[in-house]
Amino acid sequence: MDLGLIASSIGPLASGVPTTLALAAAALGIGFVLAVLIALGRRSGVILVEAPCRFFVSFMRSTPLLVQIFIVYYGSGQFAAELRAWGLWPYFRDPWFCAILALSLNSAAYGSEIIRGGLDSVDRGLKEAGLSLGLTRMKLFVLIEFPLAIRQALPGYGNEVISMIKATALASTITIVEITGVARNLISETFRPLEIFIVAGGLYLVLNALAAFAIATLERRLARHRQADPAAGKATKARPLAAATLTEPVR
Amino acid sequence: MNLQLLSFGPQGWADELLHGLAVTAATSGAAFVLALLFGALGAASKLSGSWPLRALGQGYTTVFRGVPELLVLYLVFFGGDMLLSAVAQTVFGVGGGFKTPVFAVGVLAIGICAGAYCAEVMRGAALAVPRGVLEAADSLGLTRWQRFRLVLAPIALRIALPGLGNILQITIKESALISVVGLAELLRQAAVAAGSTRQPFTFYIAAAFLFYALTLLIQVGTRRVERRMRRA
């Protein structure tokens, strides 16, 4: 074990952190918006909307993310002429655009299942109460269903955040130099895989821990009203993230 | 899109893709078996009474569930070659670079990572077995091993089954990563075909649907086995 190399590789590897975070943040943000739309589509009751949504979710969750990235980045080359005609080619030629597109779509598929679960958990009585107050469907969703569903879905979405931080490593296969990309380059320069792995892996663990902490804080904030009642507060104590991973599928 | 490229025979690439699919199935099957082994060891140490073992199990599941599989793959890929060359040099006195077979590299890397998820599933299942059942086994005078083999394991297996089916799907999806270090599995074959025909979309989408078919097969199979076990 070369401690000097460990110390000297921290700087270069840490320089990949902003790239990793930027990819994860963009994919999670866009993915979340799409996830809500897909979840609504799957609950719309219109078969022509439901069926494509169901197929999309199933396909994205059952095929490797790496294949999805390759379809977007390399596959788009097959339609270069058409894309050029529509003025889209500069986007599809850009690895950043392709990585974020593929990661967002992937995150949307996983996220929509979590949000769907949250929406399903909203008490019928609350919706009926809203309707009896004369709220429009839109207001009912924005003011009642959505906030309650999000609170319920938050622990699951926490796992999605961590899973997406890990998933950004695949962007290194299409020339984006984030943490894993730097690690690969350093390993082939130094021929010391273990030392580099320890530092790079450590960085990912720190990012995951920070994300888990942020989600747990958010969860506590959203459950503030429950802590007024000590008995209920105990019952809704933040669920550990690890327990939820048992049921949540991973990429 | 020229679909003739996806036909069998010398004109098309169907043979190559199906061969890749077979390699993918073999790789993920082997990785899954390894994951079960690592998972059982991980779960046993996390549930054991000695704290160093518990810490080891905790460290294993935390690290390998939190670090990207690609990074682990690089560790095993580059580390394996170096370890092999060092052993050859010191033990047998043979110099020169040795190459670890990519199949072994891939199976080991995916097996280690999936094993960490397996350990959590198995631990959860073991904890979900009602205490009373174990106490009943004790009161019958079963030894610890008998209690494990005849009571705990069969019940826990049934509880763990959906989770384990999920992990098998994960190993299939993750086996695609091994194409990065050059194993001729499905994605790699698709990449070769894409390169020589200049039809990347056709081949990557074909590979995606073959992956889809394989994981759907596992989903249906898992559901079948689950239903069968629930009948018992």
Side-chain angles (χ1 to χ4, degrees), chain B residues 48-85:
Chain B
S48 90
S50 91
W51 72 262
L53 267 182
R54 270 207 309 276
L56 199 69
Q58 185 62 46
Y60 169 59
T61 52
T62 308
V63 169
F64 289 100
R65 285 187 319 151
V67 164
E69 288 74 16
L70 192 58
L71 197 58
V72 178
L73 184 69
Y74 288 148
L75 172 70
V76 178
F77 181 65
F78 292 104
D81 285 355
M82 266 161 241
L83 199 66
L84 215 61
S85 302

Side-chain angles (χ1 to χ4, degrees), chain B residues 3-231:
Chain B
L3 287 179
Q4 195 148 28
L5 291 172
L6 296 175
S7 65
F8 287 90
Q11 302 297 310
W13 288 82
D15 324 59
E16 285 80 0
L17 289 182
L18 286 184
H19 186 260
L21 183 67
V23 175
T24 289
T27 316
S28 25
F32 183 62
V33 171
L34 200 63
L36 289 177
L37 186 72
F38 283 134
L41 290 175
S45 40
K46 283 187 93 162
L47 291 168
S48 90
S50 91
W51 72 262
L53 267 182
R54 270 207 309 276
L56 199 69
Q58 185 62 46
Y60 169 59
T61 52
T62 308
V63 169
F64 289 100
R65 285 187 319 151
V67 164
E69 288 74 16
L70 192 58
L71 197 58
V72 178
L73 184 69
Y74 288 148
L75 172 70
V76 178
F77 181 65
F78 292 104
D81 285 355
M82 266 161 241
L83 199 66
L84 215 61
S85 302
V87 168
Q89 183 68 260
T90 50
V91 181
F92 303 105
V94 191
F98 277 81
K99 280 278 172 213
T100 329
V102 275
F103 180 81
V105 167
V107 167
L108 188 59
I110 304 301
I112 291 174
C113 293
Y117 287 98
C118 248
E120 293 292 355
V121 169
M122 289 175 170
R123 191 184 76 103
L127 289 176
V129 174
R131 295 295 98 184
V133 176
L134 298 179
E135 282 161 19
D138 284 336
S139 70
L140 283 173
L142 298 189
T143 64
R144 266 187 75 91
W145 171 244
Q146 279 176 323
R147 190 182 79 169
F148 173 76
R149 194 172 60 88
L150 300 171
V151 182
L152 181 71
I155 302 176
L157 182 67
R158 200 189 308 178
I159 302 171
L161 207 68
L164 294 180
N166 205 353
I167 289 170
L168 180 53
Q169 286 183 55
I170 294 173
T171 58
I172 291 173
K173 288 188 280 171
E174 264 160 23
S175 71
L177 293 183
I178 312 174
S179 66
V180 172
V181 294
L183 181 70
E185 47 67 78
L186 181 49
L187 181 55
R188 183 81 196 164
Q189 296 283 31
V192 170
S196 61
T197 60
R198 295 175 182 276
Q199 302 280 306
F201 184 81
T202 312
F203 286 104
Y204 287 128
I205 207 88
F209 273 100
L210 287 173
F211 273 112
Y212 193 31
L214 195 58
T215 43
L216 283 187
L217 200 71
I218 301 299
Q219 277 168 30
V220 172
T222 316
R223 227 170 289 148
R224 273 241 174 112
V225 177
E226 262 173 67
R227 212 174 311 136
R228 220 210 174 100
M229 285 197 141
R230 217 172 300 138
R231 217 168 34 191

Side-chain angles (χ1 to χ4, degrees), chain A residues 7 48 51 59 61 67 79 82 96 103 114 134 178-179 187 194 223 228 232 235 245 251:
Chain A
L48 279 177
F59 184 81
R61 300 202 329 157
V67 178
F79 308 107
E82 289 89 337
W96 270 87
L103 290 171
I114 302 169
E178 38 61 75
I179 300 175
I187 290 173
L194 187 61
T245 24
R251 268 172 200 91

Side-chain angles (χ1 to χ4, degrees), chain A residues 72-187:
Chain A
V72 174
Y73 184 62
Y74 295 115
S76 58
Q78 193 168 328
F79 308 107
E82 289 89 337
L83 290 170
R84 212 172 271 134
W86 294 337
L88 292 173
W89 183 236
Y91 297 107
F92 281 91
R93 226 179 38 187
D94 178 14
W96 270 87
F97 175 84
C98 292
I100 290 174
L101 179 62
L103 290 171
S104 305
L105 291 176
N106 189 272
S107 180
Y110 283 89
S112 75
E113 289 293 84
I114 302 169
I115 296 197
R116 205 162 60 98
L119 286 171
D120 283 342
S121 78
V122 175
D123 192 354
R124 279 182 71 97
L126 290 171
K127 278 185 260 178
E128 282 161 16
L131 285 175
S132 71
L133 282 173
L135 294 184
T136 60
R137 274 194 69 104
M138 186 69 194
K139 276 199 161 170
L140 183 70
F141 179 75
V142 173
L143 296 175
I144 298 178
E145 283 187 81
F146 188 68
L148 288 170
I150 288 302
R151 197 170 63 200
Q152 199 64 33
L154 206 58
Y157 229 95
N159 290 321
E160 172 59 22
V161 170
I162 290 175
S163 167
M164 185 44 68
I165 292 176
K166 279 171 62 179
T168 57
L170 296 188
S172 68
T173 60
I174 55 169
T175 74
I176 295 177
V177 186
E178 38 61 75
I179 300 175
T180 300
V182 177
R184 207 214 128 101
N185 294 343
L186 283 180
I187 290 173

